[in-house]
Structure formats: structure tokens, C-alpha cells
């Protein structure tokens, strides 16, 4: 392992951390503006032109607010829970190819931290660990509503993971590899996987909402209890870390879906790179669109949906894919 | 060098986590340390180049420990210490020490006598996902299938135990009996 590789990796890690932490902040601005537009409001307008500096104002607020650790909470776990959410979200990003390889000052850069040959398993596995954050935060809070929220987090977790795994299995069988780069290269030759695996695409997309805890499945922080679920007892930057983790997860899953199903960055041209960013933007926008358009489902409805509808459909999809590939 | 640093770091972290799991009296600490320890173990697979097993370790054990959390939530107030019933400490300590020494001896014996060989050495250019698949479906096909059947039996048993009216068979009942049961259900619901 030479030092050039080490320096390159550290630079990549820092760039990804900075870019996506900033994007998480800007994502909240977009979310508020999009929701406001869909509900015929103005959204943030007062701070800066079109409320653009609202992101900075929120950041200052989160960083400078007093960090309160209430009595009766289980201290160490209460403190570490937000870190788990944020850290695992960024750890998952290590295996995602954000852009095609490009040459910068005569040096070839691969915008992926570690091209491991089990990329998709790693990304999904580490993202799943992120749900430990809300679970631990809720259980350590010594607050009944937080505990209920943690119970819902466990319910969401054991429901969606089966669907994600089985939905992604059929495309994996076709590609014959778990590496996201291989997925991209397969789609250059054979066209988008979306056309051959539409069922798997829809299932994975639905499961992505559960994975990030976004609105139809926003059970971990139940909005209609008016409080913030697992985050009720949190304040300041600890709550902000939950937030950064959630938005970073949304961005990363918005990268993973196009790479898996919609051709990724294609043959690696500049056009392909911008196409990937465009697709990512669409999927991120869709998260916000759904939040404006749909109510939350109940936890039992989510479990019914995952176990009795989506899982059988995913299994049938895998069997049919296997039969088609065999004959 | 990086492998050595990573190995000692994760070895320390893993042992510390499992130590907490065993010694603490609070369910939340024990479960969290267990989850952390299981996830840290995956680092050893990554260091050894067995990426597939590493990722599987993370996925399987997050799910398994999550189920444990669900039970912990139902049975304990996880934020308070559990009153443990400690029997004869001498017997516990001596048996645990004996078991630990024996396990270390069993695993160290082939290493000490340098008699350890890989049955299926890694082949250059083939990913370890493919190699795991090949070994599972050739050499270890029978244990693999037996494990699958056992899991199926466990699943069926779980459904029968948890489901309602699993002792009745609709095909063996007459139409009148089925109607009677349905009417009873309606009364309960309304």
C-alpha cells in the first residue's frame, strides 16, 4: 500500500464528508421549498435572498444550542446514538461510485473510496446498521413516546430488509456480481436493468422509503404525535446528527437506485456523469414529492405490506428470473 | 502495517465490547455492546480479504440483534439494572475459565504444530462470493440443504405456534361448522 493511495483515499473521504454534510443542509432547504410550493406557501423567505441563507442560520442554531442530557437517560448510549446514524450513513458511501473515473491534472481519479467486489451488499448492510441510531436513542431516552418510536423502528427494520434483499437478488443474478461498478458496466452493454426487472425496481424503490424512514414509512419519528419520536429528548447538534444522517442516507440511496437500475453513469462520458446527477436529483425530489402527497401508514400496515405483499412478489420475481435465465 | 494496526484495533474493540456484554447488569448496555462486537468482528473478515463473509456478518447480526432488542424492550425496563441471580461464583468462574482455555487450545493446536492447510485455497482472479457459492453447492451441499430444511421446519413451527386456530382444519369441517366459527368471529369483532 503506497502513500499515494493513502493520500488519495483520505482526500476522497474528506471530500465526500464535506460535500454530503453540506448537501444535507441544502437538502433541508430544498425540502422546505418543494413542500411549500406544493402546499401553495412561500417557505423560508426571510434570511437572505429567497431564504437561501436559512441553511446557515439553521446550522448556527444547531451548533450553538445547549447540549442537554436529561436526567434518567442512559448516558453513554444516549450520547452515541446520533453518531451511529450519521457515521453509518457516510460509511455506506465508501462503496458507491459517485461519478465515472476522470483525469485531474494528469492523475486518474476514481470517485469511489473502495471498489470492493461486494459493493451493494456492503452499502445495504451498513445503511441498515444506521437504524440502530433511532432505536438506541429511543430506548435510552427514558421517555415513553421515544420508546414507542424505538419499537416502531425495530418493526420497520425487520420488515423492509427482507424486501430489499430479495428485490435486489434478481438483478444480481442477471449481472452475476455484487460490485456497483459491474452493475454499471453490465448496463452499458445490455441496456438498463429497469426494462428487464421493472418489478424489482419498484420493490427496491418502495423499500428505499422504509430504509431512509421517509414519509409513507416515516414511523420512527411519528409526526402525528406532534413530538419527534426518538428525537424528543435530543437538542442541539446531537439532534442535528440524526438529521444529517437521514438526509445523507437519502442522497446515497438516490445514487444507488440509478446505478442499480437506470444505467448509472453510462460509459463514463461527461454526459453520463451529468445524467447520473440528474437521475439522483429526480429520486431525491421524489422523496420530497411523496412527503407532500402521501400520509403516513400505520406500523401494522407497513408490516402487512412488506411481509404479505412485497415479499411474495419479490420471491416470485426471483423464481421467474431464475427460470428465464435457465431456459 | 495497516493490517496490523487494524487487526489490533478491532481485536481490542471486539474483546472490550464482549467483556461489557458479559459483565454489565443493564440490558441496554449488554445488547448494544453485543451488536457493536458482532459488527466489529466483520472487520477481521475484511482484513483477511473475505469481503462477502464480512458483509454477511454485518447484515445477519444487525438483524439478529435487532430481534433481541425487540424482546428486550418487551421483557425489561432496559434503562434500569436487572437484578441478577448469582449462584456459586466459584463454580461459574472455574467452568468459564476451563471452557475458554479449552477453546483456545483447540484452535491453537493446528497453528502451533504448523499443520494447518486450507481445504479450498483461494484461487486468483475469482471473487470470494463465487468461491463461497461453489463450495456450498459442491462439497457442503448436504449440510447446506439440511440447514435449509431445519430453517423451514422452524418457520412452519413458528407460524403454527403464533397463528390462531391452527389446530382446526377447514378442509375437514362441514360448511355449517365453518359458518359457526365465522359468526363467532364477527361477534368478537363487533
Amino acid at each position: 500500500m503506497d502513500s499515494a493511495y493513502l493520500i488519495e483515499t483520505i482526500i476522497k473521504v474528506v471530500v465526500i464528508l464535506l460535500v454530503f454534510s453540506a448537501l444535507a443542509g441544502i437538502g433541508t432547504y430544498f425540502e422546505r421549498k418543494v413542500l411549500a410550493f406544493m402546499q401553495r406557501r412561500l417557505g423560508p423567505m426571510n434570511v437572505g435572498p429567497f431564504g437561501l441563507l436559512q441553511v446557515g442560520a439553521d446550522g448556527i442554531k444547531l451548533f450553538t444550542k445547549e447540549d442537554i442530557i436529561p436526567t434518567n437517560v442512559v448516558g453513554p448510549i444516549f450520547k452515541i446514538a446520533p453518531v451511529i446514524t450519521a457515521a453509518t450513513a457516510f460509511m455506506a458511501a465508501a462503496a458507491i461510485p459517485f461519478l465515472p473515473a476522470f483525469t485531474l491534472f494528469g492523475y486518474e481519479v476514481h470517485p469511489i473510496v473502495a471498489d470492493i467486489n461486494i459493493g451493494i451488499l456492503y452499502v445495504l448492510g451498513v445503511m441498515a446498521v444506521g437504524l440502530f441510531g433511532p432505536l438506541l436513542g429511543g430506548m435510552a431516552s427514558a421517555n415513553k413516546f421515544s420508546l414507542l418510536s424505538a419499537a416502531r423502528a425495530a418493526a420497520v427494520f425487520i420488515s423492509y430488509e427482507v424486501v430489499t434483499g430479495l428485490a435486489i437478488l434478481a438483478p444480481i443474478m442477471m449481472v452475476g456480481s455484487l460490485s456497483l461498478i459491474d452493475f454499471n458496466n453490465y448496463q452499458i452493454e445490455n441496456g438498463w436493468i429497469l426494462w428487464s426487472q421493472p418489478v424489482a425496481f419498484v420493490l427496491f424503490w418502495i423499500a428505499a422509503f422504509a430504509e431512509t424512514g421517509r414519509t409513507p414509512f416515516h414511523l420512527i419519528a411519528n409526526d402525528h404525535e406532534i413530538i419527534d419520536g426518538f428525537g424528543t429528548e435530543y437538542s442541539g447538534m446531537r439532534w442535528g446528527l440524526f438529521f444529517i444522517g437521514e438526509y445523507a442516507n437519502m442522497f446515497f440511496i438516490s445514487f444507488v437506485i440509478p446505478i442499480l437500475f437506470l444505467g448509472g453513469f453510462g460509459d463514463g462520458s461527461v454526459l453520463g456523469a451529468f445524467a447520473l446527477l440528474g437521475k439522483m436529483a429526480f429520486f431525491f425530489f421524489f422523496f420530497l414529492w411523496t412527503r407532500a402527497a402521501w400520509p403516513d401508514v400505520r406500523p401494522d400496515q407497513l408490516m402487512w405490506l412488506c411481509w404479505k405483499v412485497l415479499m411474495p412478489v419479490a420471491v416470485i420475481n426471483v423464481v421467474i428470473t431464475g427460470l428465464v435465465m435457465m431456459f | 502495517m495497516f493490517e496490523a494496526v487494524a487487526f489490533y484495533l478491532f481485536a481490542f474493540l471486539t474483546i472490550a465490547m464482549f467483556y461489557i456484554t458479559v459483565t454489565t447488569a443493564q440490558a441496554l448496555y449488554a445488547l448494544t455492546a453485543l451488536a457493536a462486537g458482532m459488527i466489529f468482528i466483520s472487520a477481521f473478515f475484511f482484513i483477511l480479504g473475505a469481503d462477502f463473509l464480512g458483509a454477511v456478518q454485518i447484515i445477519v447480526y444487525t438483524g439478529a440483534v435487532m430481534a433481541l432488542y425487540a424482546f428486550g424492550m418487551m421483557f425489561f425496563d432496559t434503562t434500569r439494572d436487572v437484578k441478577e441471580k448469582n449462584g456459586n461464583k466459584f463454580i461459574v468462574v472455574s467452568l468459564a475459565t476451563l471452557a475458554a482455555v479449552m477453546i483456545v487450545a483447540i484452535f491453537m493446536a493446528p497453528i502451533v504444530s504448523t499443520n494447518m492447510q486450507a481445504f479450498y485455497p483461494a484461487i486468483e482472479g475469482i471473487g470470494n462470493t463465487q468461491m463461497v457459492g461453489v463450495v456450498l453447492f459442491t462439497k457442503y451441499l448436504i449440510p447446506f440443504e439440511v440447514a435449509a430444511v431445519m430453517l423451514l421446519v422452524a418457520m412452519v413451527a413458528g407460524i403454527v405456534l403464533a397463528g390462531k386456530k391452527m389446530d382446526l382444519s377447514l378442509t375437514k369441517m362441514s360448511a355449517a361448522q365453518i359458518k359457526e366459527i365465522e359468526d363467532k368471529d364477527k361477534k368478537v369483532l363487533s
Side-chain angles (χ1 to χ4, degrees):
Chain A
M1 206 179 290
D2 51 355
S3 44
Y5 174 80
L6 187 70
I7 293 167
E8 190 192 336
T9 308
I10 290 175
I11 291 174
K12 278 184 209 164
V13 169
V14 170
V15 166
I16 288 177
L17 262 177
L18 290 180
V19 166
F20 282 95
S21 303
L23 269 181
I26 299 167
T28 62
Y29 174 77
F30 280 129
E31 168 152 36
R32 291 159 87 171
K33 275 293 184 193
V34 169
L35 286 184
F37 174 75
M38 289 184 178
Q39 295 161 352
R40 302 204 169 180
R41 301 184 278 116
L42 286 175
M45 285 301 280
N46 284 330
V47 193
F50 305 104
L52 265 171
L53 297 179
Q54 185 72 42
V55 182
D58 283 346
I60 292 169
K61 184 192 82 177
L62 284 177
F63 271 109
T64 52
K65 219 172 173 181
E66 187 190 351
D67 177 28
I68 301 167
I69 310 287
T71 25
N72 286 337
V73 300
V74 185
I77 293 179
F78 184 83
K79 286 178 198 160
I80 208 166
V83 183
I84 294 176
T85 304
T88 51
F90 285 104
M91 276 160 66
I96 301 175
F98 291 104
L99 291 171
F102 58 89
T103 317
L104 193 70
F105 307 123
Y107 187 81
E108 201 187 359
V109 181
H110 295 272
I112 173 170
V113 177
D115 182 15
I116 43 180
N117 55 14
I118 41 123
I120 180 61
L121 267 189
Y122 173 82
V123 171
L124 293 177
V126 174
M127 270 189 182
V129 179
L131 267 183
F132 271 117
L135 180 85
L136 290 177
M139 285 176 82
S141 275
N143 175 325
K144 289 190 178 61
F145 286 102
S146 299
L147 187 65
L148 280 176
S149 158
R152 284 195 299 261
V156 170
F157 183 89
I158 53 181
S159 307
Y160 85 84
E161 223 198 4
V162 176
V163 180
T164 330
L166 286 174
I168 203 67
L169 192 56
I172 289 172
M173 282 157 64
M174 289 171 59
V175 177
S177 169
L178 294 164
S179 163
L180 287 168
I181 302 263
D182 286 347
F183 264 84
N184 187 61
N185 295 343
Y186 174 88
Q187 294 179 82
I188 297 173
E189 291 160 23
N190 300 291
W192 291 6
I193 294 181
L194 169 66
W195 308 127
S196 46
Q197 289 286 352
V199 180
F201 170 68
V202 172
L203 291 176
F204 190 80
W205 201 1
I206 293 174
F209 279 90
E211 177 136 29
T212 50
R214 293 300 297 183
T215 270
F217 310 130
H218 195 216
L219 306 169
I220 45 176
N222 219 1
D223 287 333
H224 54 246
E225 279 166 3
I226 309 183
I227 55 164
D228 191 34
F230 61 92
T232 310
E233 302 283 356
Y234 283 91
S235 67
M237 204 52 216
R238 290 191 198 281
W239 187 82
L241 280 178
F242 275 129
F243 216 72
I244 290 174
E246 183 184 336
Y247 277 80
N249 249 339
M250 276 164 71
F251 277 108
F252 295 141
I253 204 89
S254 305
F255 266 106
V256 168
I257 296 176
I259 291 170
L260 287 180
F261 291 101
L262 299 178
F265 46 74
D267 50 5
S269 59
V270 178
L271 197 66
F274 277 105
L276 177 61
L277 292 181
K279 291 168 206 165
M280 187 277 288
F282 169 74
F283 281 102
F284 186 78
F285 171 73
F286 198 86
F287 277 118
L288 312 181
W289 191 4
T290 322
R291 179 161 183 198
W294 279 77
D296 271 342
V297 301
R298 291 198 313 264
D300 62 316
Q301 287 170 330
L302 169 66
M303 283 190 270
W304 173 84
L305 181 73
C306 280
W307 286 104
K308 292 195 173 170
V309 181
L310 300 184
M311 194 188 79
V313 172
V315 172
I316 292 168
N317 188 37
V318 169
V319 171
I320 291 175
T321 311
L323 287 177
V324 170
M325 283 174 67
M326 207 163 94
F327 301 115
Chain B
M1 193 196 84
F2 292 109
E3 275 91 352
V5 171
F7 174 79
Y8 284 112
L9 175 68
F10 281 102
F12 172 75
L13 279 174
T14 312
I15 292 172
M17 285 304 145
F18 286 126
Y19 180 78
I20 294 173
T21 311
V22 175
T23 51
T24 183
Q26 190 172 320
L28 194 53
Y29 282 143
L31 283 170
T32 310
L34 181 67
M38 287 298 186
I39 289 165
F40 288 146
I41 283 184
S42 73
F44 299 115
F45 289 110
F46 286 120
I47 292 170
L48 291 172
D51 299 349
F52 180 74
L53 286 179
V56 167
Q57 170 88 14
I58 294 178
I59 291 173
V60 168
Y61 281 101
T62 38
V65 177
M66 189 67 84
L68 267 182
Y69 271 111
F71 283 111
M73 224 184 286
M74 284 186 263
F75 292 144
F76 301 111
D77 180 356
T78 43
T79 56
R80 299 286 164 266
D81 281 3
V82 177
K83 278 210 185 85
E84 287 178 284
K85 206 173 119 191
N86 287 322
N88 190 334
K89 276 196 182 154
F90 178 72
I91 295 180
V92 173
V93 169
S94 53
L95 279 181
T97 315
L98 192 67
V101 168
M102 272 173 71
I103 287 174
V104 172
I106 289 167
F107 280 100
M108 286 302 285
I111 300 175
V112 169
S113 67
T114 61
N115 203 10
M116 197 165 65
Q117 290 165 338
F119 281 126
Y120 297 92
I123 308 161
E124 278 296 314
I126 298 180
N128 56 57
T129 316
Q130 284 85 348
M131 285 196 300
V132 167
V134 166
V135 174
L136 264 189
F137 281 96
T138 54
K139 170 81 176 171
Y140 296 111
L141 182 62
I142 302 280
F144 183 63
E145 294 291 332
V146 169
V149 171
M150 279 169 70
L151 285 176
L152 183 67
V153 169
M155 191 172 80
V156 171
I159 292 170
V160 169
L161 284 175
K164 295 184 185 76
K165 294 197 188 122
M166 283 289 176
D167 50 337
L168 303 175
S169 167
L170 286 177
T171 47
K172 283 181 188 164
M173 284 193 284
S174 64
Q177 279 173 313
I178 295 174
K179 183 115 196 343
E180 194 183 323
I181 291 173
E182 279 174 354
D183 288 345
K184 210 191 276 174
D185 282 353
K186 266 180 207 154
K187 256 181 220 159
V188 171
L189 284 176
S190 60

